[in-house]
Amino acid sequence: MRIDVLTLFPQYFESPLGCSIVKRAQDEGIIEIVLTDIRDFTKDSYRKVDDKPYGGGPGMVMMPGPVFDCFEHVQRLCPDQGRAIMLSPQGQPFNQQKAVELSRENRLILIAGRYEGFDERIRDGLGAEQISIGDYVLNGGEPAVLVVIDAIVRLLPGALGDEDSAKDDSFSNGLLEYPQYTRPEVFRGMKVPDILLSGDHGKIEKWRREQSLERTKKIRPDLLDTELG
Ligand code: ADE
């Protein structure tokens, strides 16, 4: 899989993409992540990427020119046109189902905005879908890009050391994950549930399913309306 990221701050990504699972997935050729600086596509000596909103109002708006030129350049880097996504608080909510869907693509082009937002012609003209990572406003789309990449990478075959790890994640079956324990058996008086020490895999599986359901009912009852299985 190839992910292109269009951003005004390529340096923002250096550390998070350079460690842990995402780094290993890149080192092993499971994913290629290519950062492109939108500012490199400005045509004036100030390298201007934003301007005041028509009609007045606070803040600055991202100009269409550099974003279009950058996008068209990036599209040409690879024969697969890819699926274009703008990160925006006005997008569709990002969730596990969306992560699974995106993890099946060969190429994504993620566009991170800054300032008060994108000139509307960027939305209209690029034919990109919009994704939001939650109902709050970030200073820019960069953290949202990282969230999307992180959630996708762990779903790619071979990215996790243990192939089964993502299968039991919270939300992978529409529920929150069951409680997990490791050694020691007793920690500060708190004991690991006996059933997990019983060796009875049938019973353990049943217990885990019950725990998942109970936890979901208590913390996220909204998820039960859309449970996948
Ligand atoms: N950019 C600013 N806020 C955002 C959000 N909540 N999700 C995605 N991109 C954003």
Side-chain angles (χ1 to χ4, degrees), residues 87-89 131-141 144:
L87 284 304
S88 157
I131 287 182
S132 164
I133 62 159
D135 293 339
Y136 39 80
V137 180
L138 304 166
N139 289 317

Side-chain angles (χ1 to χ4, degrees), residues 86-92 94 111-115 118 130-145 148:
M86 287 163 66
L87 284 304
S88 157
Q90 289 150 47
Q92 293 286 320
F94 185 62
I111 309 163
R114 278 268 151 180
Y115 312 114
F118 295 101
Q130 293 181 75
I131 287 182
S132 164
I133 62 159
D135 293 339
Y136 39 80
V137 180
L138 304 166
N139 289 317
E142 285 78 10
V145 163
V148 169

Side-chain angles (χ1 to χ4, degrees), residues 8 18 42 45 57 72:
L8 291 168
T42 51
S45 55
E72 284 159 2

